[in-house]
Amino acid sequence: QVQLVESGGGSVQVGESLRLSCVASGFTESQYCMAWFRQAPGKEREGVAKINGFAVTTYADSVKGRFAISKDNAANTLHLQMNSLNLEDTATYYCAAGVGNYCGSRLMFDHWGQGTQVTVSS
C-alpha cells in the first residue's frame, strides 16, 4: 500500500527556513497529485502547496513567495522548502497523495503521512 513518511520538521525562529521531505512508496497508479497540508491546534487542516502530474504547482495565499514545493521522481521524494517562516506557520505538516493528473480539493487525497511538527518562535 501507499506509504508517505515525512521528515525535516523542527523548531526555528521567525525568519528562518526549514525543508520538509516526504518519501513515498507503494504507488500503483501512474499519476498522482502530491501536496503538503498543515494543521494548527484548534484549526482545520489546510492545503499549503500542491504539485500535479505535470509538475504544475499551486500555493495557499499565505505562503506564496515563501514556500516552494518540488518532487524528485527518481527518489520518490516530495519536498517543501519553507523560507521566511513566521509564527502563523506553526503547525503539524502532512504529506498527502491523491490519484490523478490534476490536483483538487482535500477530498481527493486518499493517502496521508503521519505528520511532522514545525514550531516557529520569536
Side-chain angles (χ1 to χ4, degrees):
Q1 70 274 21
V2 174
Q3 288 191 322
L4 304 172
V5 181
E6 302 102 332
S7 62
S11 296
V12 296
Q13 294 192 317
V14 171
E16 294 185 339
S17 300
L18 276 176
R19 189 185 194 215
L20 305 183
S21 297
C22 170
V23 178
S25 62
F27 283 166
T28 58
E29 302 292 333
S30 60
Q31 292 290 348
Y32 286 82
C33 169
M34 301 291 295
W36 289 96
F37 286 76
R38 67 185 181 188
Q39 188 166 19
K43 294 188 176 181
E44 291 189 358
R45 191 170 297 189
E46 63 171 350
V48 174
K50 300 173 185 176
I51 183 166
N52 70 14
F54 303 104
V56 175
T57 58
T58 55
Y59 298 92
D61 288 342
S62 59
V63 306
K64 279 181 182 176
R66 300 187 299 121
F67 289 14
I69 188 171
S70 62
K71 60 181 178 179
D72 181 343
N73 291 324
N76 291 325
T77 303
L78 182 73
H79 298 289
L80 184 68
Q81 178 66 42
M82 305 186 295
N83 299 325
S84 302
L85 285 161
N86 58 49
L87 297 176
E88 291 70 35
D89 296 319
T90 295
T92 301
Y93 284 71
Y94 297 91
C95 174
V99 175
N101 280 329
Y102 298 96
C103 294
S105 72
R106 177 184 165 183
L107 295 175
M108 78 167 287
F109 295 95
D110 297 320
H111 309 289
W112 295 84
Q114 81 288 352
T116 185
Q117 178 67 36
V118 172
T119 303
V120 184
S121 60
S122 58

